[in-house]
Amino acid sequence: MSGNNNQQLNVLVSGGGTGGHIFPALSIANEVRRRHPEANILFVGAEGRMEMEKVPAAGYKIIGLPVSGFDRKHLLRNIKVVARLLKSMNMARNILKDFKPDIAIGVGGYASGPMLKEAQKQGIPTLLQEQNSYAGVTNKLLAAKADRICVAYEGMERFFPQDKIVLTGNPVRRNLLECGATPEQARQAMGVDPNRKTILIIGGSLGARTINNAIISGLQQIGEASYNVQVLWQTGKIYDRQCREALEASGVKNVSQMAFISNMDMAYRAADLVVSRAGASSISELQLLGKPAILVPSPNVAEDHQTKNALALSTRDAAIMVTDADASALLVDTMLKTVTDDALLTSLGDNVSKMALRDAAERIVDEVESIIHITKA
């Protein structure tokens, strides 16, 4: 497509599975729409996964493929997986025939495999966005034929052809960066004491069992620190009841528990310290907001990439890492000591802020435009 802005621009975005894939995908789509209001943008996700709900809520059309991941423990179950994959490849061909994209963008996750593979077979330009410091399987398989690979960490030539890599950072939700509230105003908005040191605990979009269990066992200890510390505790829907009942039974008053925080901009602003899993989008948010954090990497992810993400920060004194195995013994103690150490909070915040790559969505869409030779409007 030559540099003619009058032509209709068709952009296909594929991937998902977790918030870590979906938020960057939506940020890229929003930036395309901001520059090219007339563009047709179509998402392709995996049936039954989170994107099927989040993408329409953000105002975009999405088609679900019946694709699922390989079961490494029960190999016979993979007969179904292969059947779903073949059906997905077939659907992908039909989607490309109907939609005729000028470019296909893959953000990782199950659905982007069949979709981008088919696009590459048909000679449609592809751009990959890799959020993690350790590349995902799907992106590694697609890399050889991709036109551009946008990454968030240095050293990604270990996984990808060097001449295709562009260091852009991970796009994050714009409202997080635009929050104008003071920490005191944000704490008031979150319904807690505006003047107390505040710890925000988030377990990723689905919650985190290990973190929640560590907090449950440490509730009395947190209660004893109540004269100068309070906790905002997002537990995830699955663990909501168990955590709420444990908190009620404990009688501890300086912990506010909720299944899900919708106003994350206020929650981040309210926090002096964040306790989080080490998913790529959480880390990018912490970097861009300059937030001191304790990272508890999830061990239940492909190639243990969260540990690698966390080490990329902790080895630079830009975060404190507590392993999943050590969380029950160390987490509560570590967070209470850290939140009351102002010098440590300042240095963690400064160091993590230095790692931030800003304007990632803009940089990625610059690459999209350069691939399809659109001159900026």
Side-chain angles (χ1 to χ4, degrees):
M1 186 168 170
S2 62
N4 175 1
N5 261 332
N6 301 326
Q7 283 175 286
Q8 188 74 60
L9 174 63
N10 292 344
V11 177
L12 187 139
V13 184
S14 184
T18 65
H21 293 306
I22 299 161
F23 295 132
L26 288 171
S27 298
I28 295 166
N30 290 341
E31 180 61 17
V32 170
R33 181 166 274 180
R34 194 181 69 76
R35 295 186 194 188
H36 305 281
E38 300 308 306
N40 290 318
I41 300 172
L42 175 67
F43 279 77
V44 179
E47 279 174 4
R49 300 302 294 247
M50 193 194 275
E51 57 268 25
M52 301 308 293
E53 190 184 308
K54 298 277 183 203
V55 169
Y60 294 99
K61 187 181 171 199
I62 187 165
I63 298 172
L65 301 181
V67 65
S68 57
F70 277 92
D71 190 329
R72 294 186 176 111
K73 290 187 186 126
H74 309 97
L75 293 177
L76 281 176
R77 287 188 195 162
N78 289 322
I79 296 167
K80 255 189 193 160
V81 174
V82 171
R84 287 191 198 120
L85 182 63
L86 294 172
K87 188 178 174 193
S88 297
M89 299 293 269
N90 201 27
M91 282 178 71
R93 277 192 288 277
N94 291 330
I95 290 167
L96 294 172
K97 203 166 74 185
D98 294 344
F99 186 64
K100 301 183 176 59
D102 296 294
I103 190 166
I105 299 168
V107 295
Y110 301 140
S112 65
M115 202 61 241
L116 268 83
K117 194 88 192 140
E118 281 302 324
Q120 289 175 344
K121 273 190 201 165
Q122 295 187 26
I124 293 162
T126 56
L127 176 144
L128 305 179
Q129 200 255 328
E130 175 55 61
Q131 295 100 19
N132 293 294
S133 60
Y134 193 90
V137 177
T138 307
N139 280 347
K140 282 194 280 196
L141 293 172
L142 295 166
K145 292 192 170 159
D147 293 77
R148 207 80 93 251
I149 304 165
C150 295
V151 300
Y153 291 90
E154 307 273 357
M156 297 302 283
E157 57 281 353
R158 291 180 297 154
F159 309 105
F160 300 133
Q162 189 156 8
D163 57 335
K164 296 182 177 191
I165 295 173
V166 186
L167 185 65
T168 57
N170 284 326
V172 307
R173 296 169 275 183
R174 193 177 272 260
N175 69 321
L176 297 182
L177 307 177
E178 291 171 350
C179 177
T182 64
E184 291 75 18
Q185 288 167 336
R187 286 173 203 144
Q188 251 165 335
M190 297 301 295
V192 295
D193 184 331
N195 302 311
R196 252 190 239 177
K197 287 276 180 151
T198 305
I199 302 171
L200 170 66
I201 297 171
I202 40 178
S205 44
L206 304 169
R209 181 191 295 136
T210 308
I211 294 177
N212 287 336
N213 285 344
I215 299 306
I216 288 172
S217 0
L219 280 171
Q220 293 307 329
Q221 199 183 343
I222 296 168
E224 285 156 21
S226 65
Y227 60 92
N228 62 357
V229 173
Q230 61 196 352
V231 173
L232 291 168
W233 182 18
Q234 177 185 280
T235 55
K237 282 183 197 145
I238 313 166
Y239 308 106
D240 179 38
R241 187 173 159 191
Q242 174 201 1
C243 295
R244 191 173 62 244
E245 287 174 357
L247 180 58
E248 281 166 10
S250 74
V252 167
K253 296 282 180 266
N254 59 328
V255 175
S256 295
Q257 179 270 333
M258 54 222 89
F260 186 73
I261 297 175
S262 51
N263 51 340
M264 273 306 294
D265 54 339
M266 285 295 182
Y268 271 129
R269 185 53 63 94
D272 296 287
L273 175 68
V274 179
V275 174
S276 173
R277 284 299 200 194
S281 57
S282 301
I283 285 188
S284 297
E285 289 166 2
L286 295 167
Q287 289 171 337
L288 287 161
L289 297 169
K291 283 288 164 187
I294 295 171
L295 300 172
V296 185
S298 170
N300 315 313
V301 292
E303 286 105 8
D304 197 21
H305 68 249
Q306 287 204 4
T307 297
K308 294 165 180 119
N309 290 349
L311 284 167
L313 271 67
S314 63
T315 52
R316 292 179 174 85
D317 296 324
I320 293 166
M321 182 170 103
V322 172
T323 66
D324 197 77
D326 286 342
S328 61
L330 300 179
L331 181 60
V332 170
D333 216 29
T334 307
M335 73 187 203
L336 292 175
K337 282 197 178 102
T338 305
V339 79
T340 48
D341 184 338
D342 288 339
L344 178 56
L345 290 176
T346 302
S347 79
L348 288 170
D350 289 348
N351 292 340
V352 78
S353 191
K354 283 179 196 143
M355 293 179 72
L357 291 164
R358 298 180 193 282
D359 308 318
E362 289 87 335
R363 294 187 201 193
I364 292 166
V365 177
D366 287 346
E367 297 301 325
V368 169
E369 290 183 336
S370 85
I371 292 169
I372 44 185
H373 315 302
I374 292 183
T375 46
K376 279 191 205 169

